[in-house]
Amino acid sequence: MTKVVNYISEAFEELKSNVTWPAWAEVQRLTIIVAVFSVVFALATWGVDEIFAKALAGFFNWIKA
C-alpha cells in the first residue's frame, strides 16, 4: 500500500512542478474548436451514412424489380 501512496504523491508533485499548464483563455478557445470540429465530423459521418443507406436501398430495390 505504501508503494501506491508514494506513486500518487510523486505523480501530483510531477504535475505541480514539471507540467506547463496553458492559460485559461487558451483552454476555452481550444475547447470550442474541438467541440465545433466534433459536431462537424459527426454531421459528415451521419451524411455519408445516409447516402450509403439510400444507395443500398435503391440498389436492392433495383434488384427486386
Side-chain angles (χ1 to χ4, degrees):
M1 186 67 178
T2 307
K3 288 182 180 182
V4 174
V5 172
N6 190 28
Y7 174 78
I8 292 172
S9 66
E10 287 178 4
F12 276 112
E13 185 60 36
E14 184 84 16
L15 287 172
K16 287 181 194 175
S17 61
N18 295 337
V19 175
T20 304
W21 297 99
W24 181 244
E26 185 179 6
V27 171
Q28 288 176 327
R29 182 179 61 86
L30 293 175
T31 301
I32 291 170
I33 290 171
V34 168
V36 167
F37 276 105
S38 296
V39 170
V40 168
F41 187 72
L43 289 173
T45 303
W46 172 77
V48 169
D49 181 55
E50 286 294 317
I51 289 170
F52 279 128
K54 288 182 182 181
L56 283 174
F59 176 72
F60 286 119
N61 284 336
W62 177 68
I63 289 177
K64 255 188 199 179

